[in-house]
Amino acid sequence: AQTVTQSQPEMSVQEAETVTLSCTYDTSESNYYLFWYKQPPSRQMILVIRQEAYKQQNATENRFSVNFQKAAKSFSLKISDSQLGDTAMYFCAFMRYSNYQLIWGAGTKLIIKP
Amino acid sequence: NAGVTQTPKFQVLKTGQSMTLQCAQDMNHEYMSWYRQDPGMGLRLIHYSVGAGITDQGEVPNGYNVSRSTTEDFPLRLLSAAPSQTSVYFCASSYSGQGNTEAFFGQGTRLTVV
């Protein structure tokens, strides 16, 4: 069975700093997707970034980038130039190709301080 | 496009009552799923569907029932509510993209069972 682990329950950084959120996962499958979702206090789940396992190049979306280490089963999220609006819960999630269902980490609460 | 529409946003039930959480998507996605989110935990899969007429159990299916008579709709039924079912519920849909997929979420339902 797949598992996803986020080892940082809470992090806080100053505005404009760079922060890295950690995620590790366990699977025997070779093809899958990995995601980072953001959940602000509004409760809405918002896609931050996605990575396909067969792609070696790390995904980037503006200030957000990942460090995907397939052999180590690690998928960390780096947020550059952090902004107050980045304050939220961040969830790492694994999606199987077979049924497109998500397995989630427990989340990291990120607080950006002014 | 409305995306994924989930109703209601809030609900209070008495122990033993039954109810149905509604979920509809207008994106013609094959895959739909229900998750519950409890404090300190990631989302957990309750039931999912890979197409109309096909449903399957997820990680925590007990006490819940689903059906998928159309591509658009995927209601979740609580058969006899228990306090342990107090949670936030999310409906999601996704598609089998060519290297490009994600899960789209409803706005969530906060359910309290007293």
Side-chain angles (χ1 to χ4, degrees), chain A residues 37 39 43 50 52 101-102 105, chain B residues 33 35 37 99-101 103 108:
Chain A
Y37 276 87
Q39 187 181 41
R43 201 167 70 200
R50 89 185 116 223
E52 267 204 284
Q101 303 308 311
L102 290 162
Chain B
S33 49
Y35 299 90
Q37 182 179 23
N100 182 25
T101 191

Side-chain angles (χ1 to χ4, degrees), chain A residues 14-73:
Chain A
Q14 295 294 136
E15 191 177 8
E17 289 184 346
T18 295
V19 60
T20 299
L21 308 183
S22 301
C23 173
T24 59
Y25 60 95
D26 189 24
T27 184
S28 58
E29 302 189 16
S30 57
N31 289 319
Y32 46 87
Y33 294 97
L34 293 164
F35 300 88
W36 280 97
Y37 276 87
K38 168 184 177 181
Q39 187 181 41
S42 67
R43 201 167 70 200
Q44 183 65 37
M45 298 296 287
I46 302 166
L47 177 66
V48 175
I49 200 164
R50 89 185 116 223
Q51 175 83 40
E52 267 204 284
Y54 75 85
K55 292 184 177 177
Q56 294 185 346
Q57 186 174 5
N58 289 326
T60 62
E61 289 286 343
N62 300 313
R63 298 183 294 108
F64 300 88
S65 61
V66 297
N67 184 4
F68 173 49
Q69 301 290 327
K70 189 173 184 179
K73 297 179 181 174

Side-chain angles (χ1 to χ4, degrees), chain B residues 72-111:
Chain B
E72 294 78 19
D73 299 302
F74 191 47
L76 177 72
R77 298 181 186 84
L78 278 70
L79 308 173
S80 177
S84 61
Q85 294 179 304
T86 293
S87 188
V88 177
Y89 292 83
F90 286 96
C91 177
S93 73
S94 54
Y95 59 95
S96 55
Q98 294 294 322
N100 182 25
T101 191
E102 66 179 276
F104 295 80
F105 289 84
Q107 57 196 340
T109 298
R110 180 174 293 279
L111 174 69

